[in-house]
Amino acid sequence: MLKITNLKATINEKLILKGLDLNIKPGEVHAIMGPNGSGKSTLANVLSGKNGYEIEGEISFNGMDLNDLKIEERAQKGIFLAFQYPLEIPGVNTNNFLRTSLNSVRKARGEKELDTLTFLKLIKEKAKELNIDEKFLSRQLNVGFSGGEKKKNEILQMKLLEPKLSILDETDSGLDIDALRIVADGVNSYKNKENAFLIITHYQRLLDYIKPDFIHVLSAGKIIKTGNADLGEQLEKTGYANLS
Amino acid sequence: MKNQDLNINKEYKYGFTTDIESIRAPKGLNEDTIKFISNIKKEPKWMLDWRLTAYNRLQSLKEPNWQKPKYPKINYQDLYYYSAPKSASEKPKSLEEIDPKILETYKKLGIPLVEQQRLNGIAVDAVFDSVSVATTFKDELTKKGIIFCSISEAIQKHPDLVKKYLGSVIPLSDHYFATLNSAVFTDGSFVYIPPNTRCPMELSTYFRINASETGQFERTLIIADKGSYVSYLEGCTAPMRDENQLHAANVELIALDDAEIKYSTVQNWYPGDKNGVGGIYNFVTKRGACRGKNSKISWTQVETGSAITWKYPSCILQGDNSVGEFYSIAITNNYQKADTGTKMIHLGKNTKSKIISKGISAGNADNTYRGLVDINKKATNSRNYTQCDSLLMGNKCGAHTVPYIKNKNSTSTIEHEATTTKINEEQLYYCNQRGLDQEEAVSLIVNGFCKEVLQQLPMEFAVEAQKLVAISLEGSVG
């Protein structure tokens, strides 16, 4: 599904990713761990197409060269990024935002756009699955939401847009144990043979709930170690410093 | 305009029997022009005298020059002050003759074909039955005693009301452009709502059908008698073809005891091209008097057109407990300039005013909010709340806020909040990541920014206005 070959990314003349390789197949869950400043968020940003980076190397997604696609085209083709810090958009109703987003994606996929009533029915179901209060959908997008509410809103959007590759950028940071469980349940209930996850995290604790197939350790812009779920527990004990 | 148009010779003065379809006054601003206008409209002598008084006062007035947008000097002797509806031969024959950019906008707004033709002044013969539609409305209104007609008709048929109220809010020698309008106004609307009557419809449907080609010096007078209510919609979301560069309209509103007037404007005159060539100068005087106790006047404006917009819809809160509101969205793109805001003059006790202004600047445009809140000594226990927000797109545009605040008693409160923000790249990125393209994202964020004002508009208008906001900013972000 996703094949990254010798990826280098530079921002403000600083080389952040220094030749990264990664291969993700449908149905797999990959976790990226690593110390601060190792390039984890940069990887998420680059995959989503965020402006400002100079890119070298290849990123192929279902046979397409991602470097040729704009941010919204990547989203429409099935790349979803759950933001570490979801943005507030004052005056924009959450429902309205979600519907505009879903319809943009549906339109690009050649599917029929949903009318308001059909959409409301759908979103209410999805919100219920995540234990999200309906009232929260008529509030302004992320404005005055707690950290946990914002993150749950990201997972709601993921389930709504049904992406092929979901990138979770430190979705676990700032969550209490209940919210963490809801987010993890949301991910687990969406996981299937067709889609894949790339989970970026500092800590093992999210991985107690979402079992990864692979854990990669990112350090100074390169993947320095890859292992199975046990690697996370090992890191939790020994830290990153003892690697490499 | 073409030369084949008939210019009336001096000696030919007032006695023309020529085909009225192609008549226009001689060029130039003088007493003869004014007499010409008054005569052709068969006005009574008092009206002509009123116009001439205005003209005389004009001689001692100078054009104001304190505003931010500057404009080239206007040669008032080189303008036509009266031009009857154009003859069919001069109008465009079909939409194919219209700028494709304008047609593109119609498509996006979903304006029906017939309406498109009407907006462009295309000579269409009875494509739609405006007469019968208009009559239906008129019957319903007449039953309730509501008068809704052109100001010219009101001068003929309701002289007492016109005499009593015309110029009572905007005095004859108020300022240069208002006085110019008083001397040479051509037409406009007149509304009178009798006591304890609620006008059963938005006075817009009718307006859209009935009152095009009111010319560059439009005059509107709306009177809401005791305990009445009216909502009036001016303008149109679709771009209007217009050959007059200077527009100097006057609008006067009068609300008596317990009456309420809601006045909404969507202004989308030609803004000039991408390089700032051409476009309308929209120099408008709008003022409402809350003359009675517990009366209310609410202005809502969405200003997206014109090369220069220069207007301050104001409220004079004379009656005790009266309320004035001003909700504004001003969007400037490319080389457009807007200097707009309001005046809230508190005279009565316990008067309240609220100002919500949203200015959006893109391209090389300049957007100024200028407002006055003046709470007089006797206006005890009064309140004002002002919120001015500016949104900048790109780094070549400007936003300015110039509030004047006067409080002359110790029991009143004034609150003023102002923010200036740049459209946030991270917000755009977030929207893009959710599948929205750049234009959808800008539209969503800007409409969110304007929400408090948009929700003041009547429902059917609000939807079009939202689309218009998006269209006005097209191509303004990378």
Side-chain angles (χ1 to χ4, degrees), chain A residues 110-125:
Chain A
E111 295 165 358
K112 213 176 138 248
E113 292 181 46
L114 296 187
D115 61 65
T116 313
L117 283 178
T118 319
F119 171 79
L120 285 178
K121 209 173 151 242
L122 176 71
I123 194 70
K124 278 183 188 169
E125 268 170 39

Side-chain angles (χ1 to χ4, degrees), chain A residues 63-122:
Chain A
M64 292 170 284
D65 183 353
L66 270 194
N67 291 331
D68 293 343
L69 300 179
K70 291 190 212 161
I71 306 168
E72 64 270 23
E73 289 167 334
R74 298 179 193 210
Q76 290 157 0
K77 305 270 186 222
I79 291 182
F80 180 87
L81 171 61
F83 279 54
Q84 186 177 358
Y85 304 107
L87 276 291
E88 298 185 0
I89 307 186
V92 176
N93 174 288
T94 302
N95 260 330
N96 185 23
F97 177 78
L98 298 183
R99 188 162 74 95
T100 310
S101 166
L102 178 62
N103 280 337
S104 298
V105 170
R106 288 181 69 97
K107 207 161 84 187
R109 289 176 186 164
E111 295 165 358
K112 213 176 138 248
E113 292 181 46
L114 296 187
D115 61 65
T116 313
L117 283 178
T118 319
F119 171 79
L120 285 178
K121 209 173 151 242
L122 176 71

Side-chain angles (χ1 to χ4, degrees), chain A residues 48 50 81 88 101 154 157, chain B residues 426-427 429-430 433-434:
Chain A
S48 72
K50 192 178 185 187
L81 171 61
E88 298 185 0
S101 166
E154 295 293 285
Q157 293 176 48
Chain B
E426 289 290 322
Q427 284 176 335
Y429 168 48
Y430 188 63
Q433 213 299 309
R434 295 300 182 256

